[in-house]
Amino acid sequence: MADPLVIKICGIKTLDILDTAIAAGADMVGFVHFPRSPRHVSIEEIANLISAARGRVETCVLLVNPDNSCVAEVAALGPDWIQLHGPESPHRVEAIRAEAGIEVIKAVPIGSAEDVAHIAGFTDVADRILVDAKPPKGADRPGGLGETFDWTLLKALDPSIPFMLSGGLTPKTVAEAIKTVRPFGVDVSSGVESAPGVKDKRLIEAFIRNARAAE
């Protein structure tokens, strides 16, 4: 019996949407602390969201190339996970994990076979790997920005490396993604929004329902 699929709803900004994601059956919720993102929330807001989520769902704070003071500030909030979404090296990921004392998800942007080869460098220093679409050239922030990548590239990945899949997933595409790519988890942000940073309750519910049906 395979482990149940892990479903993460990322970029949550309000208690209302947090409650929606939990009621719909999300396993993890993510909060973005990165001012250039339309999903950015302050440390104070994240503190409120984490305390509202505690004991109900796993929480994750997404950071981009954070400095040590930012890591310490976030670690003090007691999330279950820190997700690193910048150009952090394996050495830096290891240092952040040791300093924070919190499990780390490392996002690796995929646009080529060379990018897939980089994943192996993070498997010993991160607790989970998240593969995401590489942002288009000139983008002002990391992440798939609503785009998928060529999933066939992942065929080159060592099958013993488990990963979560992100990048352009929507309620319409998530079932195909799960069946094609076989990730242990899926992560969605813009695919369940009606506008950048504005989550849509019905899309969150449909995404989770369709993902569970595809397990």
Side-chain angles (χ1 to χ4, degrees):
M1 177 78 184
D3 290 328
L5 184 78
V6 173
I7 300 176
K8 175 168 168 273
I9 308 292
C10 198
I12 289 174
K13 294 162 70 173
T14 66
L15 293 168
D16 190 29
I17 291 297
L18 173 67
D19 288 341
T20 296
I22 294 170
D27 301 291
M28 300 177 74
V29 289
F31 314 118
V32 176
H33 187 62
F34 181 58
R36 290 212 297 270
S37 169
R39 298 165 194 93
H40 171 70
V41 276
S42 69
I43 290 291
E44 294 72 25
E45 290 169 308
I46 291 173
N48 289 337
L49 289 160
I50 287 177
S51 66
R54 190 161 279 125
R56 301 164 70 203
V57 69
E58 288 191 16
T59 56
C60 177
V61 179
L62 184 155
L63 302 173
V64 179
N65 220 19
D67 60 21
N68 289 349
S69 65
C70 177
V71 170
E73 207 173 17
V74 168
L77 304 178
D80 296 296
W81 298 85
I82 288 175
Q83 180 170 321
L84 298 172
H85 223 94
E88 303 89 3
S89 66
H91 179 72
R92 180 66 181 141
V93 171
E94 190 170 32
I96 288 171
R97 181 166 73 164
E99 188 189 336
I102 288 169
E103 291 188 296
V104 167
I105 298 171
K106 175 64 182 123
V108 182
I110 304 295
S112 67
E114 190 184 11
D115 298 327
V116 174
H118 286 155
I119 293 173
F122 291 103
T123 54
D124 291 337
V125 294
D127 300 281
R128 281 185 179 171
I129 300 291
L130 173 82
V131 295
D132 197 0
K134 206 166 199 171
K137 280 192 170 51
D140 68 346
R141 56 185 202 273
L145 310 184
E147 299 297 317
T148 51
F149 64 94
D150 178 1
W151 295 332
T152 61
L153 289 168
L154 295 172
K155 288 183 175 152
L157 185 62
D158 178 342
S160 71
I161 298 175
F163 62 89
M164 292 183 74
L165 178 68
S166 185
L169 299 177
T170 68
K172 289 193 172 104
T173 63
V174 67
E176 183 199 355
I178 291 165
K179 287 171 178 158
T180 307
V181 182
R182 300 276 173 207
F184 78 78
V186 287
D187 181 8
V188 68
S189 189
S190 61
V192 290
E193 291 179 347
S194 54
V198 182
K199 291 284 182 284
D200 182 304
K201 291 184 181 185
R202 282 175 305 190
L203 291 176
I204 290 172
E205 289 161 356
F207 183 89
I208 294 174
R209 192 167 56 241
N210 294 349
R212 291 276 176 239
E215 278 187 70

